[in-house]
Amino acid sequence: MGKNKLKKFAEMREFGCVLQYPREELITNGFPYRGEWNGKVFCKAAPIVVELGCGKGEYTVGLARHNPDRNYIGVDIKGARMWRGAKTVEEESIVNAAFLRAEIENIKEFFIPGEVDEIWITFPDPQMQKVRKRLTSTRFLNYYRNILKPDGIINLKTDSPFLYEYTRRLVELNGLKVLAQTDDLYGSGMADPVTSIKTFYEQQWLSRGKKIKLISFRLPVDGELLEPDAEDIPKDDYHAAARFNPNSTTCEYSGETIS
């Protein structure tokens, strides 16, 4: 492991805005702030918004800056990436943003039912070959039900035509209430200060002419969720290109693969 990563991990252990709980820690001790995020982490009662697969944390930070009346938590397993957002929170003394280093499959171990108002999923790996790893699949939506309030909101922001169409079909098949939907966020005129927050990777997609898609919907706490037929959805044609290849006009997905 490089010295830079080791330095980042050391700093992360000192950041007050970062909570690190790998699976082994959960099994041994559990999570002490479950149900107590507002009272013991933020020390302020406010709606809680979670960004899953937050990467560098730019969206979590941007959301917190934009709306001080909400509390924001970025969740990711990759600490070296999360360091950037956490350092910004520390440097700017942003009091309504925190980061949780954990696996998304264990999300119910960190929140009690109804503790979370809203979830953002920003530019995840579309997992075109593996439904069970897709962050908007019924498997993951059932995880989210364990923490969301009734009819809590799910927001997906993605460059992937495949993931957008898959999620759109899932929402339609299950009769979920759509709050916003567009396959061209900036061309549609629907962009607002929140949806216009741009991460490092979103800026890369835009520079390559990729359209950004958004779908927001409400998730009921019960009722069976059905998987849509996705066999006929065209696969994205730029998934396998080298991420930082200067000779390439495309780039690889940046999202986490959660196993």
Side-chain angles (χ1 to χ4, degrees):
M1 183 181 296
K3 289 183 179 180
N4 194 38
K5 271 193 175 183
L6 290 173
K7 180 182 177 183
K8 288 180 178 180
F9 287 143
E11 287 192 24
M12 288 273 285
R13 287 192 289 271
E14 300 300 320
F15 288 162
C17 67
V18 176
L19 301 170
Q20 303 191 66
Y21 282 83
R23 183 183 286 114
E24 295 76 13
E25 177 76 10
L26 280 175
I27 292 171
T28 304
N29 300 315
F31 183 65
Y33 304 119
R34 186 172 184 262
E36 300 285 349
W37 280 91
N38 278 338
K40 294 184 177 180
V41 176
F42 296 108
C43 300
K44 180 186 71 172
I48 291 176
V49 181
V50 173
E51 183 192 4
L52 298 175
C54 68
K56 295 175 181 287
E58 304 109 312
Y59 220 86
T60 297
V61 171
L63 289 167
R65 285 171 175 157
H66 179 74
N67 192 347
D69 295 327
R70 290 190 162 210
N71 292 330
Y72 295 91
I73 303 164
V75 180
D76 212 307
I77 196 60
K78 296 293 181 68
R81 291 183 184 174
M82 188 186 291
W83 170 87
R84 179 61 269 169
K87 190 168 182 64
T88 300
V89 168
E90 293 287 316
E91 290 175 341
E92 298 184 12
S93 299
I94 299 173
V95 298
N96 64 324
F99 290 92
L100 173 64
R101 189 181 177 198
E103 295 168 310
I104 294 174
E105 284 94 336
N106 296 323
I107 198 68
K108 70 177 182 179
E109 305 300 329
F110 299 98
F111 302 92
I112 61 172
E115 192 169 10
V116 174
D117 286 67
E118 189 171 352
I119 289 174
W120 278 89
I121 306 169
T122 51
F123 301 94
D125 187 323
Q127 296 289 354
M128 290 180 285
Q129 306 301 328
K130 299 178 181 178
V131 177
R132 67 180 300 276
K133 290 190 174 185
R134 223 169 276 159
L135 292 188
T136 55
S137 67
T138 57
R139 177 191 177 214
F140 277 93
L141 292 184
N142 282 317
Y143 289 156
Y144 309 153
R145 280 175 157 180
N146 288 307
I147 66 172
L148 277 171
K149 70 177 185 181
D151 291 322
I153 298 172
I154 304 285
N155 306 287
L156 170 69
K157 193 178 182 187
T158 182
D159 61 290
S160 167
F162 174 87
L163 184 61
Y164 172 77
E165 177 60 18
Y166 163 81
T167 306
R168 190 198 65 77
R169 291 188 186 188
L170 185 150
V171 168
E172 182 178 5
L173 176 64
N174 290 283
L176 306 181
K177 183 177 180 180
V178 176
L179 303 177
Q181 179 176 305
T182 177
D183 62 359
D184 184 4
L185 177 63
Y186 300 112
S188 67
M190 292 177 61
D192 58 30
V194 168
T195 58
S196 295
I197 297 169
K198 295 181 178 65
T199 67
F200 171 80
Y201 294 111
E202 179 176 354
Q203 291 175 37
Q204 284 197 332
W205 304 134
L206 289 169
S207 71
R208 289 161 172 79
K210 303 301 179 185
K211 293 181 180 179
I212 305 304
K213 297 103 172 59
L214 174 75
I215 183 166
S216 301
F217 58 93
R218 293 194 179 275
L219 183 65
V221 294
D222 43 32
E224 182 183 5
L225 293 173
L226 303 175
E227 278 289 335
D229 181 4
E231 291 298 318
D232 63 331
I233 301 177
K235 300 294 192 292
D236 301 336
D237 60 3
Y238 56 103
H239 178 65
R243 184 184 297 168
F244 297 117
N245 179 355
N247 298 316
S248 175
T249 59
T250 61
C251 58
E252 189 178 10
Y253 281 101
S254 57
E256 305 285 348
T257 299
I258 305 295
S259 58

